[in-house]
């Protein structure tokens, strides 16, 4: 099973697009809840971690592991 690793500052691709049509989000706060900001319209939303992980398709750009890919 693939483990999803994500961190602060990462750009992630979500399964469900934002109402503006963009499904790329930036993680701007980590915790029990995750705050993500839409890269299209700049709106941010706070969602429970479990819901975030369920809706996360993949990490497009990892802020922490620049060297890895
Ligand atoms: Zn948006």
């Amino acid at each position: 099973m693939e483990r999803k690793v994500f961190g602060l500052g990462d750009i992630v691709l979500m399964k469900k697009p934002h109402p503006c049509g963009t499904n790329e989000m930036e993680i701007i706060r980590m915790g029990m809840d995750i705050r993500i900001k839409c890269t299209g319209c700049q709106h941010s939303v706070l969602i429970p971690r479990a819901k975030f992980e369920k809706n996360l398709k993949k990490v497009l750009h990892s802020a922490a592991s620049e060297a890895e890919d």
Side-chain angles (χ1 to χ4, degrees):
M1 196 171 92
E2 195 187 338
R3 204 178 118 86
K4 289 166 182 168
V5 180
F6 54 90
L8 191 67
D10 288 1
I11 304 295
V12 296
L13 190 68
M14 307 304 282
K15 286 173 187 163
K16 268 193 195 163
H18 197 244
C20 74
T22 301
N23 59 354
E24 284 181 30
M25 305 279 178
E26 181 184 353
I27 299 173
I28 57 171
R29 198 199 119 178
M30 295 280 285
M32 294 258 293
D33 295 323
I34 311 267
R35 184 172 285 278
I36 52 174
K37 187 174 79 174
C38 178
T39 62
C41 67
Q42 307 298 308
H43 279 155
S44 69
V45 282
L46 191 65
I47 56 171
R49 181 181 281 256
K51 193 179 169 188
F52 172 79
E53 288 188 18
K54 210 172 179 180
N55 195 15
L56 174 64
K57 196 169 183 183
K58 67 172 189 168
V59 177
L60 292 176
H61 177 81
S62 173
S65 57
E66 299 265 26
E68 281 174 40
D69 71 72

